[in-house]
Amino acid sequence: MVYSKIKYDALRSLYDQIEQGASYVSAAEQTLKQDAPHQSLEQIVFTITVIERILLLKVALSPNLIEKALAAIKSFQSISESDLMEQICIPVYLTDLSILHQRVSTILQREYGVAV
């Protein structure tokens, strides 16, 4: 897995949608719909990256985005640390993903009252 490329693809896709005139929420939803080629951990990285960026922009999430965020968080939590280390290989990227996961989880709990 090429962690930095997946994050880049996620943000590029999101900002491409925004440049084409989509609202932030609509851009995030369209970006996540287009993410068919990614599998398992790659899907989690892609989804959490997009959701985290929208949350940092202080944009309210749609119910669909909340659902996708929760699914990504639960999937991330189900992966063992040894599997994460094996797939991500670079410790700084593993730390980055853990921080993104924690940030999204905390905001969902605080702002949306969602149990994560």
Side-chain angles (χ1 to χ4, degrees):
M1 176 172 97
V2 182
Y3 181 80
S4 58
K5 181 175 180 346
I6 294 167
K7 282 192 66 164
Y8 171 80
D9 287 345
L11 294 174
R12 180 188 48 90
S13 296
L14 176 66
Y15 286 118
D16 283 351
Q17 290 290 325
I18 292 168
E19 279 187 13
Q20 293 174 13
S23 69
Y24 290 120
V25 170
S26 177
E29 289 174 347
Q30 289 299 320
T31 298
L32 294 176
K33 275 185 192 176
Q34 297 172 12
D35 186 39
H38 294 112
Q39 300 298 323
S40 60
L41 185 56
E42 293 175 351
Q43 176 73 38
I44 294 167
V45 170
F46 195 95
T47 301
I48 288 179
T49 299
V50 170
I51 298 293
E52 188 259 355
R53 184 54 47 112
I54 292 299
L55 290 171
L56 287 179
L57 293 169
K58 306 252 186 231
V59 175
L61 298 180
S62 68
N64 183 39
L65 289 177
I66 293 171
E67 185 179 307
K68 288 186 182 291
L70 285 174
I73 288 168
K74 288 177 183 175
S75 294
F76 177 77
Q77 292 171 340
S78 72
I79 300 172
S80 72
E81 190 161 333
S82 61
D83 284 345
L84 284 171
M85 293 176 97
E86 183 180 310
Q87 291 183 51
I88 295 183
C89 301
I90 299 174
V92 75
Y93 290 157
L94 184 56
T95 301
D96 182 66
L97 180 58
S98 295
I99 290 169
L100 290 177
H101 162 264
Q102 187 59 44
R103 186 177 295 144
V104 171
S105 296
T106 300
I107 293 171
L108 285 176
Q109 288 174 353
R110 186 181 61 227
E111 301 293 324
Y112 297 92
V114 176
V116 179

